[in-house]
Amino acid sequence: MMNKEKNHSFSDMLLRGLVTLNPALGPGPLSWILEPGMGFSDTAFWWGICNTRPRPHEGVDFFSFRRTDGSTGRIDESTRIPLALPGTLMAKTEDFLGSSLWFCHPDKQSGTDILFSAYAHLRPQKDLVTGERYPAGTLLGVPTLANTPQTKTPPHLHVSTFYAPATLDIIMIDWSRITEQTAVKLIDPLSL
């Protein structure tokens, strides 16, 4: 029997998980709304800062969505964030708005490389264990509320996806250097 989940995109799986974990979001998010600066490789900031990023955006910032009834909603600091694809938690690191969770998805390959994903700007669940494999839909945490003098960024989920060798030492990946890593092939999460 064919597994129907394989036919759904990363975005679809993330939206499904949001609906499951957050029934109060309403009549089911249908699609993401991306403003300039939120998308993969965008060079502008989308929040309060009116200048350009120091390097192209290495992922997608998920913030607002359109529901099946046409109304819109947004992620806030209480939104429960799901894991979109089954994977193994490789590392938990700090980022400028909270924590990042780094996953390996060995069942998704491109040649000899495997898919990795990073979910950033979270307050992660305390029971997540590095080295454990988790199913799609697992609760990862909630977005960080960042309102500091340096950053007035609304709560949102940043996701980066990339292909890399299975032997990649994920601890060597650093947000400030991720675009410089020759072993890392960044890809748009919305293209998966």
Side-chain angles (χ1 to χ4, degrees):
M1 183 170 202
M2 193 169 172
N3 181 351
K4 291 184 181 181
E5 294 300 310
K6 291 183 180 176
N7 296 326
H8 294 287
S9 71
F10 183 93
S11 175
D12 291 340
M13 296 302 289
L14 187 58
L15 286 166
R16 279 181 175 203
L18 276 175
V19 171
T20 301
L21 293 176
N22 303 280
L25 288 180
L30 177 66
S31 61
W32 293 107
I33 300 169
L34 297 182
E35 300 294 332
M38 291 179 168
F40 182 74
S41 292
D42 283 353
T43 56
F45 286 106
W46 61 271
W47 65 90
I49 303 170
C50 297
N51 56 15
T52 58
R53 295 174 182 270
R55 61 189 172 281
H57 196 208
E58 67 283 332
V60 173
D61 287 338
F62 295 103
F63 175 66
S64 57
F65 52 84
R66 187 167 319 285
R67 295 183 181 99
T68 54
D69 67 0
S71 65
T72 59
R74 68 177 185 85
I75 287 175
D76 65 27
E77 64 274 9
S78 67
T79 305
R80 297 159 51 95
I81 302 298
L83 179 63
L85 301 172
T88 301
L89 179 59
M90 303 301 292
K92 298 177 192 178
T93 61
E94 295 304 308
D95 64 50
F96 77 103
L97 294 178
S99 295
S100 296
L101 301 174
W102 301 80
F103 287 88
C104 171
H105 310 279
D107 51 333
K108 301 279 185 189
Q109 298 185 355
S110 176
T112 59
D113 290 343
I114 60 174
L115 181 68
F116 288 83
S117 63
Y119 294 74
H121 315 327
L122 296 175
R123 279 186 297 129
Q125 288 295 106
K126 295 187 186 319
D127 61 349
L128 294 174
V129 178
T130 302
E132 290 291 318
R133 184 163 171 82
Y134 293 96
T138 297
L139 173 60
L140 300 180
V142 296
T144 305
L145 179 59
N147 193 3
T148 67
Q150 298 83 12
T151 306
K152 295 199 182 301
T153 308
H156 67 282
L157 170 66
H158 172 93
V159 176
S160 288
T161 52
F162 56 93
Y163 284 105
T167 56
L168 175 72
D169 183 356
I170 200 74
I171 298 301
M172 299 306 293
I173 299 297
D174 174 297
W175 281 116
S176 64
R177 296 179 299 146
I178 193 167
T179 58
E180 300 167 9
Q181 301 291 325
T182 57
V184 171
K185 297 174 197 111
L186 286 164
I187 57 171
D188 184 346
L190 298 177
S191 72
L192 291 174

